[in-house]
Amino acid sequence: MKIISVIVPCFNEEESLGIFYKTTLECISKISNYNFEFVFVDDGSTDNTLAILEELSKKDSRILYFSFSRNFGKESAMYAGLKNASGDFAVFMDADLQDPPSLLPEMINAIENEGYDCVATRRVERKGEPVIRSFFARRFYKLINKISDIEIMDGARDFRLMTRQVVDSILELTEYHRFSKGIFDWIGYKTKWIDYQNLERVAGTTKWSFWKLFKYAIEGIVAFTTMPLKVASFFGMIISLISFISLVFVVVRRLIFGDPVGGWASIVSILLAVSGIQLICVGVMGEYLSKTYMETKRRPLYFIKSTNKKARK
Ligand code: UDP
Ligand code: MG
């Protein structure tokens, strides 16, 4: 029988883990012909998440857990989950039941009978989310789709079922600054999209602050496009052109009319504007440089402090 690995990144999910496990179990018990394996990745939780996982794994031998030495972020947890999943298929699911396990039969069917390699999900609206967060999320998707070669669906979740081939392809991308939503598109393969209504978290609170999301958005842009660098060069060229024209203008005026004094205000404004733009461009370059710097260190994506399985490497 084929095995499906359910990969669940958990960061301080003590309130939702029990109900997640119970609900998912109910769903998968109705799916015959497949065996399931749970791969829980405790992303350095500071609450009772690990204790709950240890408890669950004693009762259910299909449960594997891996506990990080600190919080490495959801991306690292997802990678660790994939690395340690042994299934023929793998699916990512959040611990808060925002990814409904009831969609699993439809997803499995799409891969087995409709010839897809991957089934991804997206929520069609963002009910229950702060308005400002939705606004910036939408702007982000518009922007990254415009300036990069990858295409990310607005509202795309990490909830997706993949074949072993897709899993192995993702594992080959070992970059330090990971942006999975981009990686999923970048690797290719035939993907089916399933829409569903947004569900609110069953318990606990979101682990993503606005600042964390903002940094994640920058990560995505820097990881998948060098367009900001091109914009910086473009600014440079435009300003050089304007400066050259002004220079000719000033010199000609000097030759014809002598040496007029004045224009202090305009000089200061130009100076401030140009140095501002210069700083922004240096900042953009710095962003890429710092990412390159971190990437060259080749640091591991995570450390596993405890597990009930000897981790494969
Ligand atoms: N998560 C994680 N590490 C983090 C942040 C989140 O493993 O640093 C997990 C979290 O436990 C949950 C999933 O990622 O299972 C999605 O997080 P959350 O529900 O807080 O995000 P939201 O649904 O609000 O975008
Ligand atoms: Mg959630």
Side-chain angles (χ1 to χ4, degrees):
M1 253 202 286
K2 284 187 181 161
I3 300 175
I4 301 180
S5 303
V6 180
I7 300 168
V8 193
C10 318
F11 178 47
N12 294 343
E13 295 288 2
E14 61 179 5
E15 285 158 274
S16 30
L17 266 181
I19 168 155
F20 167 83
Y21 175 66
K22 195 167 152 274
T23 316
T24 311
L25 211 59
E26 266 166 36
C27 279
I28 63 175
S29 61
K30 292 187 201 123
I31 304 174
S32 49
N33 301 330
Y34 293 92
N35 281 331
F36 281 83
E37 161 192 79
F38 285 94
V39 183
F40 287 99
V41 184
D42 164 30
D43 185 10
S45 301
T46 49
D47 64 358
N48 277 324
T49 299
L50 179 58
I52 295 170
L53 290 178
E54 282 167 347
E55 207 50 49
L56 286 177
S57 67
K58 276 183 203 144
K59 287 189 214 132
D60 187 341
S61 62
R62 295 170 299 179
I63 295 184
L64 287 175
Y65 70 81
F66 300 88
S67 180
F68 285 178
S69 57
R70 66 167 170 88
N71 178 246
F72 280 94
K74 189 184 179 190
E75 288 288 340
S76 297
M78 287 164 73
Y79 188 85
L82 280 187
K83 186 113 188 157
N84 290 287
S86 57
D88 302 281
F89 301 141
V91 57
F92 288 120
M93 287 175 97
D94 284 0
D96 57 8
L97 284 178
Q98 280 189 303
D99 302 329
S102 53
L103 286 181
L104 281 173
E106 188 184 342
M107 293 165 87
I108 296 170
N109 183 52
I111 289 192
E112 291 283 34
N113 304 319
E114 296 170 21
Y116 289 97
D117 304 298
C118 192
V119 185
T121 59
R122 66 183 206 123
R123 40 186 192 173
V124 281
E125 31 90 333
R126 293 171 170 271
K127 194 180 73 189
E129 207 184 57
V131 186
I132 185 111
R133 196 168 141 170
S134 302
F135 174 80
F136 279 107
R138 284 193 205 291
R139 290 284 89 71
F140 167 71
Y141 286 117
K142 283 233 163 65
L143 180 72
I144 195 159
N145 287 339
K146 205 174 223 158
I147 66 177
S148 75
D149 294 335
I150 51 165
E151 188 69 37
I152 305 177
M153 288 272 193
D154 184 2
R157 304 277 309 169
D158 291 327
F159 181 30
R160 56 170 65 213
L161 182 71
M162 300 155 285
T163 61
R164 172 55 43 192
Q165 202 180 18
V166 174
V167 170
D168 289 341
S169 303
I170 296 174
L171 286 175
E172 281 194 37
L173 277 84
T174 54
E175 60 224 59
Y176 184 77
H177 290 282
R178 301 185 73 73
F179 185 70
S180 285
K181 288 188 169 80
I183 291 176
F184 294 145
D185 184 75
W186 190 86
I187 56 168
Y189 296 104
K190 207 171 154 204
T191 303
K192 176 174 180 169
W193 285 90
I194 296 180
D195 291 352
Y196 70 95
Q197 297 289 320
N198 191 26
L199 300 163
E200 295 196 26
R201 214 176 216 287
V202 280
T205 49
T206 177
K207 306 297 176 296
W208 293 85
S209 62
F210 187 81
W211 178 235
K212 220 170 158 184
L213 274 177
F214 179 75
K215 283 204 299 197
Y216 189 55
I218 299 283
E219 205 104 299
I221 291 173
V222 175
F224 284 96
T225 169
T226 50
M227 186 58 99
L229 287 175
K230 295 192 182 97
V231 172
S233 322
F234 177 75
F235 264 132
M237 279 188 295
I238 295 288
I239 289 174
S240 308
L241 190 72
I242 296 174
S243 315
F244 182 73
I245 296 171
S246 332
L247 191 76
V248 172
F249 175 72
V250 171
V251 170
V252 170
R253 195 172 62 169
R254 164 78 176 78
L255 291 176
I256 300 174
F257 300 108
D259 192 8
V261 188
W264 185 85
S266 58
I267 289 178
V268 169
S269 326
I270 292 168
L271 249 164
L272 286 180
V274 173
S275 47
I277 292 170
Q278 271 177 348
L279 282 181
I280 292 173
C281 296
V282 171
V284 170
M285 267 163 57
E287 197 61 40
Y288 280 89
L289 186 68
S290 69
K291 292 280 180 322
T292 316
Y293 171 61
M294 290 308 287
E295 218 55 75
T296 55
K297 292 190 186 206
R298 301 228 133 261
R299 284 192 180 161
L301 289 168
Y302 54 84
F303 285 112
I304 290 170
K305 189 176 168 204
S306 66
T307 169
N308 60 343
K309 176 202 173 189
K310 187 128 189 56
R312 276 189 281 160
K313 256 286 156 200

